[in-house]
Amino acid sequence: MPALDPLLSLALAMQNTHGAYALLLGSGVSRPASIPTGWEIVEDLVRKIAALEGQDATAAAAANPAEWYSHRFGAPPTYSQLIEQLANTQTERRELLRPYFEPNEEERAANLKVPTPAHRAIARLMRDGIVGVALTTNFDRLLETALVDVGVAPSILSTADSINGMLPLRLERATIVKLHGDYLDTRIRNTDEELEHYDPTLDKLLDSVLDEYGLVVCGWSAKWDAALRSAITRCPNRRFSTFWATHGELATEARDLIERRKAQVIEIESADAFFDAVAEKVATIESLSLPHPLSTAVAVATMKRYLPAPEQRIRLHDLITDEVTRAIGRVTQLVNVRESPEPLTKVRERMTQLEGATETVTALMATGVFWDDGAHRNVWTEALEYLGNIGAGMLRSAGSRYEIWTRILRYPAQLAFYAAGLAAVARGKDGEEVLLDLLLKPRLRLDLNGGPTSPAWSLTVEEAVEPEIARGIPGWAGGYTPMSDHLWTVLRPVLSPFLREQATYDDAFDRFECLVALAYAAILETRPHYHFWAPPGRLAWRRERIFGSPTAIDVIGTDIDREGANWLLLRRGLFDGSVDKLAAAREQFNGILNRRGLGA
């Protein structure tokens, strides 16, 4: 029987035992970000000192900085001594060290000295509770930055004082143990002598971690860090497995530790590729273990109990916020914007996974909007805004990316938008104000080069998966309005408690899409270089099958004639509140529907 891929073994182990694995990260994780090693910094600082002594010293130090320093000062250079010589205050120290660890504008533009895909993937694993502890020999703060970007404030342990004052590791969401210190602390460990022994407090912590946690090693050669090797060697137990990721030939010291820990060796191309793959596989396994549908039913039942009770408004808010947070965690695991979307079956598979990941949120949004008496209107728009901004942080840090994945990141919010919007339509006149809120109030930051937009602009049927792409996805029905048809199918079960009859559901769906289209047209009218457009939905082909019955756009026309300037979109100021402008837009939209119909 062929052996299981060790990468898959690792992903299964991590997913099955959340928080049971610690990471051991070496310089190989931060090196792709152009972060120098501690010794490289020492050598560069020595050259700076030599430059202060003149040209002869500069030339002598260029070839062998450490040798020149030892000859000049009678002792080998150390990080702390050099810092003391070159910077006397904390402010001076920060300015001296900033160029080594903090990017300038050019470096940031080139994605240097910023968190790498490895740091981003590790941050997601820690945010989602898959990993709780990271041991690192690195001085930089790239992992801390990546964690803050995903909303996690890590606990940092780099000195004996911080270790003595820490909470138990299991009570912390994310802990980073900086074995050799932080770059702004002159007490970092760097020389052979400094790396020979650790402080007893750090040794005690290491003994606990190595005994109680599994270990995933990446980017660490094991060659120079004698104290760390000793800690691993003296560990008496192996409660969980050890996985050792390596690129190229292992050092003798590493091979000895691998043998002692009975570690599984994983050959990798890079730390970025390794942690991306781990996060992706864990996400896939998680998606196969999504909550049983009963979980959604319980959440919906809980919401129904909270809705009519004013004293439960905080619990209702927390219920929807917590579920949106969980959904966002699953989405960010599932979507990697740097991953090739080929073949397109991958896109279809990912969309199915996203539907499962947001199932509870979608049901809660529909239920809440339908049964809310208006007391919780802000809850639904805030949840939609939170969900709709999933991709903002991911896109800022991704660098290169595939456009289709940036669009797919809108799909969870699109599902929630349609579910809540249809529920508002199902309420009739009582749902108009919350419907207007959903269309216009959430501020979505989806375009890195532009300002915030509303759902009526950014969550239409042509925004998440464009029709041309949708028609090319294997196994999809295709058709004239593929995304509209797909949303109609996916959301039918969600809306069935409120729109039981098929014809009633069809009419509500058509009305909602017409309102979205008109709101879109009104927003477009305010943009430069205006040329009328509005996204057509299923009505573009359904109107020809209604056999003379009034279509959604016809019904809307009747409503406008009856209500005039008090009609729902006009009273929120769209089309400048002008009935005439709205009538012109409705006529132009009718023209689009006619051109897109079955006979077009």
Side-chain angles (χ1 to χ4, degrees), residues 162-479:
S162 61
I163 295 171
N164 286 329
M166 74 179 197
L167 290 172
L169 290 177
R170 294 290 185 181
L171 297 183
E172 293 283 4
R173 186 176 182 183
T175 300
I176 302 174
V177 183
K178 308 192 84 164
L179 299 168
H180 296 171
D182 183 89
Y183 78 89
L184 288 179
D185 190 331
T186 58
R187 293 170 291 179
I188 70 169
R189 304 168 185 88
N190 188 56
T191 66
D192 289 343
E193 182 179 354
E194 291 165 341
L195 297 176
E196 189 70 31
H197 302 286
Y198 286 152
D199 183 283
T201 305
L202 178 56
D203 265 335
K204 183 178 178 181
L205 175 63
L206 268 178
D207 289 346
S208 174
V209 171
L210 294 171
D211 176 47
E212 297 174 10
Y213 290 78
L215 196 62
V216 181
V217 182
C218 185
W220 183 60
S221 70
K223 190 172 184 179
W224 312 110
D225 308 317
L228 184 51
R229 291 200 306 269
S230 295
I232 295 173
T233 299
R234 68 175 176 263
C235 178
N237 299 313
R238 293 192 305 276
R239 302 176 194 271
F240 298 95
S241 300
T242 297
F243 297 85
W244 198 296
T246 180
H247 176 66
E249 186 175 352
L250 289 161
T252 301
E253 294 83 354
R255 288 199 297 269
D256 290 344
L257 292 176
I258 288 169
E259 175 61 29
R260 181 176 294 273
R261 296 279 296 192
K262 303 301 179 187
Q264 293 191 58
V265 176
I266 304 176
E267 294 286 344
I268 65 173
E269 293 182 6
S270 66
D272 289 346
F274 171 63
F275 281 111
D276 259 349
V278 171
E280 172 68 18
K281 290 185 182 299
V282 169
T284 300
I285 297 168
E286 290 267 295
S287 72
L288 298 174
S289 308
L290 289 172
H292 189 275
L294 182 60
S295 299
T296 297
V298 170
V300 168
T302 302
M303 172 171 279
K304 287 180 179 179
R305 288 192 295 107
Y306 290 165
L307 276 168
E311 69 275 10
Q312 301 290 2
R313 66 186 186 281
I314 295 176
R315 289 186 176 180
L316 185 144
H317 178 276
D318 290 348
L319 172 66
I320 187 71
T321 301
D322 289 348
E323 190 54 47
V324 171
T325 301
R326 277 191 287 272
I328 289 174
R330 297 173 192 141
V331 170
T332 53
Q333 285 181 331
L334 288 167
V335 179
N336 176 3
V337 296
R338 298 163 65 96
E339 175 188 14
S340 170
E342 299 295 339
L344 283 178
T345 49
K346 188 186 298 184
V347 176
R348 181 68 183 91
E349 175 186 347
R350 199 72 78 245
M351 290 182 70
T352 300
Q353 292 171 335
L354 292 176
E355 289 157 12
T358 55
E359 176 186 1
T360 301
V361 168
T362 304
L364 288 175
M365 291 287 284
T367 303
V369 167
F370 186 80
W371 291 111
D372 182 20
D373 62 3
H376 306 283
R377 273 170 52 185
N378 286 342
V379 173
W380 322 124
T381 53
E382 288 172 6
L384 185 56
E385 184 171 296
Y386 187 17
L387 192 61
N389 285 313
I390 289 175
M394 295 172 68
L395 297 181
R396 278 197 302 270
S397 62
S400 61
R401 56 188 181 270
Y402 287 91
E403 177 64 21
I404 190 170
W405 295 126
T406 69
R407 295 282 186 160
I408 291 295
L409 284 171
R410 304 185 188 194
Y411 185 48
Q414 189 183 55
L415 287 166
F417 174 51
Y418 262 67
L422 288 167
V425 170
R427 290 184 60 190
K429 295 293 291 183
D430 290 340
E432 286 189 350
E433 292 305 317
V434 70
L435 176 59
L436 287 169
D437 286 350
L438 292 165
L439 288 168
L440 303 171
K441 192 173 180 180
R443 311 312 289 159
L444 309 181
R445 298 186 179 275
L446 302 169
D447 184 351
L448 297 182
N449 299 316
T453 60
S454 63
W457 181 263
S458 296
L459 297 180
T460 71
V461 288
E462 300 194 0
E463 290 299 322
V465 179
E466 297 167 293
E468 293 75 12
I469 297 294
R471 292 188 189 99
I473 296 176
W476 212 321

Side-chain angles (χ1 to χ4, degrees), residues 355 359 362-363 366-367 370 411 414-415 418-420 422-423 426 483-510 538 542:
E355 289 157 12
E359 176 186 1
T362 304
T367 303
F370 186 80
Y411 185 48
Q414 189 183 55
L415 287 166
Y418 262 67
L422 288 167
M483 267 308 298
S484 180
D485 295 340
H486 183 68
L487 288 166
W488 179 89
T489 301
V490 170
L491 294 174
R492 181 68 186 102
V494 179
L495 275 298
S496 61
F498 325 119
L499 297 165
R500 296 184 180 278
E501 298 295 328
Q502 185 66 54
T504 307
Y505 177 67
D506 288 342
D507 289 343
F509 200 96
D510 289 345
R538 299 175 76 245
R542 256 180 46 78

Side-chain angles (χ1 to χ4, degrees), residues 491-550:
L491 294 174
R492 181 68 186 102
V494 179
L495 275 298
S496 61
F498 325 119
L499 297 165
R500 296 184 180 278
E501 298 295 328
Q502 185 66 54
T504 307
Y505 177 67
D506 288 342
D507 289 343
F509 200 96
D510 289 345
R511 181 177 179 82
F512 177 66
E513 289 201 317
C514 283
L515 293 172
V516 171
L518 290 172
Y520 180 96
I523 297 168
L524 180 62
E525 186 184 43
T526 66
R527 301 291 176 104
H529 313 296
Y530 166 69
H531 178 74
F532 184 88
W533 170 252
R538 299 175 76 245
L539 188 59
W541 59 266
R542 256 180 46 78
R543 63 193 285 130
E544 300 193 7
R545 298 182 178 178
I546 297 179
F547 303 113
S549 299

Side-chain angles (χ1 to χ4, degrees), residues 23 25 29-30 114-116 118-124 126 133-136 138 140-150 152 154 156 175-178:
L23 308 180
L25 310 174
V29 175
S30 291
V114 296
T116 65
H119 294 106
R120 301 290 183 191
I122 293 167
R124 296 196 302 272
M126 298 187 83
V133 179
L135 312 172
T136 179
N138 298 327
D140 61 74
R141 296 182 175 181
L142 297 184
L143 182 53
E144 292 97 307
T145 300
L147 280 163
V148 170
D149 285 348
V150 295
V152 177
I156 311 298
T175 300
I176 302 174
V177 183
K178 308 192 84 164

